[in-house]
Amino acid sequence: MGAVIRRIVRVSVVGVLAALVLGFSAACGNAVRDYIGENYQLQRTEGDTKIYTSKDPVGTTTTDIAAAKSPAARQADGGNEYLRYDDDIVIVSPASGGGSTVRVEDIDGGYRGGAFIFLGPGFNPGSPAGGAGGSGGSGSAK
């Protein structure tokens, strides 16, 4: 009888721990999406991608998002700013009427296919955010 009770307790503890880990990882995985959804106006949705508007310029909007939810990598290119998170890419661009547009894409889309490789370390699939290597140009093998 004692062995049965110990087994029930052990299974219960393992179940509770598993539920806590899953809950924690789910909460962390969507943190930037949640922050953006709570602080910016949703303009439209395109599949997994959500596009928001901000009344602030690109630099201010990007700094606010990065301060609230620290990205794994950050880069600017051609007036746009890019933030890479574990599950998402956030692209902040100038809006035509002023302010900025905030685009949140699932990382499985263009990122895994190399669409952001031009941004360098931290945006190449599998590259470290603070890598010492630079862009090798076209034809660079890794």
Side-chain angles (χ1 to χ4, degrees):
M1 183 75 162
V4 172
I5 292 174
R6 282 193 297 270
R7 184 168 184 207
I8 290 171
V9 168
R10 191 174 342 143
V11 169
S12 296
V13 169
V14 169
V16 168
L17 289 175
L20 288 172
V21 168
L22 287 173
F24 179 73
S25 63
C28 291
N30 291 323
V32 73
R33 280 187 183 261
D34 292 343
Y35 176 79
I36 292 170
E38 292 168 2
N39 290 281
Y40 300 99
Q41 181 68 41
L42 180 64
Q43 185 179 26
R44 70 183 182 276
T45 299
E46 299 171 358
D48 276 350
T49 301
K50 292 194 177 199
I51 300 155
Y52 298 86
T53 57
S54 170
K55 61 180 176 30
D56 295 319
V58 171
T60 303
T61 301
T62 306
T63 298
D64 289 345
I65 294 167
K69 304 297 175 192
S70 184
R74 180 177 178 173
Q75 190 63 266
D77 183 69
N80 299 322
E81 292 207 36
Y82 300 81
L83 302 171
R84 184 180 61 79
Y85 293 88
D86 288 341
D87 293 328
D88 298 299
I89 294 282
V90 176
I91 304 166
V92 184
S93 307
S96 60
S100 55
T101 300
V102 180
R103 182 179 181 95
V104 184
E105 296 182 17
D106 188 73
I107 204 162
D108 288 330
Y111 175 77
R112 299 239 192 267
F116 301 103
I117 198 165
F118 67 95
L119 294 171
F123 288 89
N124 299 337
S127 74
S135 174
S138 65
S140 175
K142 290 211 175 203

